[in-house]
Amino acid sequence: MSLSAAVTTATSSLPPSPSQSTVPTLPTLQDAHESAVGAASWVEQNWSTWLAIGLRVLLILVIAAVLRVLVRRAITKLIDRMTRTVQAVDGTALGGLLVNAERRRQRSQAIGSVLRSVASFLILGTAALMVLSTFQINLAPLLASAGVAGVAIGFGARNLVTDFLSGVFMILEDQYGVGDQIDAGVATGEVVEVGLRVTKLRGGDGEIWYIRNGEVKRIGNLSQGWATAGVDVTVRPSEDLDRVRATLDSVAERMSKEEPWNELLWGPVEVLGLDSVLIDSMVVRMSARTMPGKSLSVERELRWRIKRAFDAADIRIVGGEAPAVDAEAADPTASVAAPSAFSNSASPQAEAAAPITPQRPPTK
């Protein structure tokens, strides 16, 4: 290495002087021009990409909004059509027998609400994921986090999720509705309102029961299909069975031909026969198939008619008034107890039961 090269290297390695380090370097007009030219060239190179991304995002949002409106409108029209069908049938005799307008209306509204919510969630969620993927964002961590959060929420609110899912399936399967008499295990009564989480029942005393749908393990619906009205008639064992049957048959035939019982009875009133025979009574059982929820009314009317027919035919029902007792023939001393031997102080029994008088010792 030459001497000049060594000096030049040593000089370049020395730190700058204080005067050189404190003086700021001001950008020149040339530097600003170069920066502007670089930014303009970058925008010119990438504007088409950003414009394509913006248009794609706008297209996704427009399609999602239009699809959501169309789907919700279709669901609303379907529910309205179901409601109009129920209202058209409600005024007829068939509608009075088979259709409960309030029940079908609430069921239709609940189904429509569930379908609209599910459709909105699916459409907007898919649109959001497509927008994120347009910006080239990795969705794997987001989906994994959403899955973990969903599992945590599911464990924390499992009772709420259970109630909601049970309510959805109860409504979709039409297990019960407004106006039905049901036995839910924890409570029994008439259904007032069916919700996705809670079902309201009105009990026999007028109380309102709020039952969570997830707690219902079994449902006994007393208002679907048909009901059975059963009446037990208890008579004396000495009554003529043929006369009793003939009287009951005449009552059943006459009741099945009169209004409104001819519409409530969905089958003939049958005398099934002797249900039990005891020493002091025998039970004759009657049964009839009725409209759902009308079995109690039919049973009350049938008992009323049977009692009047038995009184006319002089057939005594066990449990009636006790036979009258003739006051003159009654023994007046029957209720008087026999005299006791201890009432006479001179009787041997009284003397034997008397206390012994203590004797004094003789004095000296």
Side-chain angles (χ1 to χ4, degrees):
M1 179 184 292
S2 63
L3 181 60
S4 60
V7 172
T8 302
T9 303
T11 304
S12 61
S13 63
L14 291 176
S17 62
S19 60
Q20 295 176 353
S21 60
T22 56
V23 177
T25 303
L26 298 176
T28 61
L29 184 60
Q30 183 68 26
D31 296 335
H33 178 69
E34 292 178 356
S35 299
V37 171
S41 62
W42 183 84
V43 171
E44 183 179 2
Q45 294 175 0
N46 296 281
W47 72 271
S48 58
T49 303
W50 286 103
L51 181 61
I53 292 176
L55 292 177
R56 187 178 300 175
V57 171
L58 181 61
L59 182 62
I60 291 173
L61 294 179
V62 170
I63 292 177
V66 172
L67 184 61
R68 179 174 178 269
V69 171
L70 293 178
V71 171
R72 290 175 65 92
R73 184 173 299 177
I75 295 174
T76 303
K77 287 185 178 180
L78 177 62
I79 299 303
D80 292 341
R81 182 176 300 176
M82 293 172 60
T83 305
R84 286 196 301 268
T85 303
V86 172
Q87 292 177 353
V89 181
D90 186 41
T92 62
L94 180 62
L97 292 175
L98 302 179
V99 177
N100 187 323
E102 181 64 19
R103 165 184 176 173
R104 297 301 176 90
R105 186 186 65 82
Q106 288 201 8
R107 179 170 177 261
S108 302
Q109 289 182 353
I111 294 175
S113 176
V114 172
L115 293 178
R116 283 191 290 267
S117 299
V118 171
S120 298
F121 177 78
L122 292 178
I123 293 173
L124 296 181
T126 305
L129 293 178
M130 293 177 66
V131 169
L132 293 178
S133 64
T134 302
F135 287 102
Q136 296 182 356
I137 298 176
N138 189 11
L139 299 179
L142 180 62
L143 295 178
S145 302
V148 173
V151 172
I153 294 175
F155 276 108
R158 57 185 181 274
N159 292 331
L160 182 62
V161 175
T162 302
D163 297 340
F164 181 81
L165 294 178
S166 300
V168 170
F169 283 107
M170 285 180 182
I171 293 174
L172 293 178
E173 296 174 359
D174 194 17
Q175 297 180 7
Y176 55 84
V178 176
D180 287 352
Q181 290 284 341
I182 67 171
D183 180 4
V186 294
T188 302
E190 181 181 356
V191 179
V192 178
E193 182 180 348
V194 179
L196 295 178
R197 193 182 68 87
V198 175
T199 298
K200 293 171 62 176
L201 298 181
R202 184 174 295 278
D205 297 330
E207 70 277 9
I208 294 292
W209 296 94
Y210 294 86
I211 303 175
R212 290 170 42 195
N213 295 328
E215 293 182 350
V216 178
K217 304 301 181 183
R218 61 173 180 84
I219 290 291
N221 196 327
L222 308 179
S223 301
Q224 283 186 353
W226 46 268
T228 302
V231 175
D232 293 334
V233 183
T234 305
V235 296
R236 296 179 301 181
S238 59
E239 296 289 347
D240 187 2
L241 288 178
D242 295 334
R243 193 159 64 98
V244 171
R245 177 183 286 274
T247 305
L248 294 178
D249 288 338
S250 63
V251 170
E253 183 179 0
R254 187 165 53 252
M255 182 177 176
S256 61
K257 294 180 180 179
E258 296 179 1
E259 294 184 356
W261 310 109
N262 54 355
E263 295 182 357
L264 301 182
L265 290 171
W266 285 8
V269 182
E270 300 178 351
V271 180
L272 301 181
L274 285 176
D275 190 67
S276 63
V277 179
L278 303 177
I279 297 177
D280 56 348
S281 64
M282 58 182 179
V283 179
V284 181
R285 185 167 182 81
M286 301 181 66
S287 177
R289 183 174 296 184
T290 67
M291 180 191 301
K294 300 298 182 180
S295 59
L296 294 179
S297 301
V298 173
E299 290 176 0
R300 295 189 183 102
E301 181 66 18
L302 194 57
R303 292 190 185 98
W304 182 282
R305 293 171 179 263
I306 290 173
K307 179 62 171 65
R308 296 180 61 180
F310 276 14
D311 291 342
D314 195 19
I315 300 177
R316 186 180 300 278
I317 298 177
V318 174
E321 295 181 359
V325 179
D326 189 1
E328 296 180 356
D331 186 5
T333 62
S335 60
V336 179
S340 175
F342 294 95
S343 61
N344 186 7
S345 60
S347 63
Q349 291 85 355
E351 292 179 355
I356 299 175
T357 304
Q359 298 181 358
R360 296 182 178 179
T363 56
K364 294 183 181 180

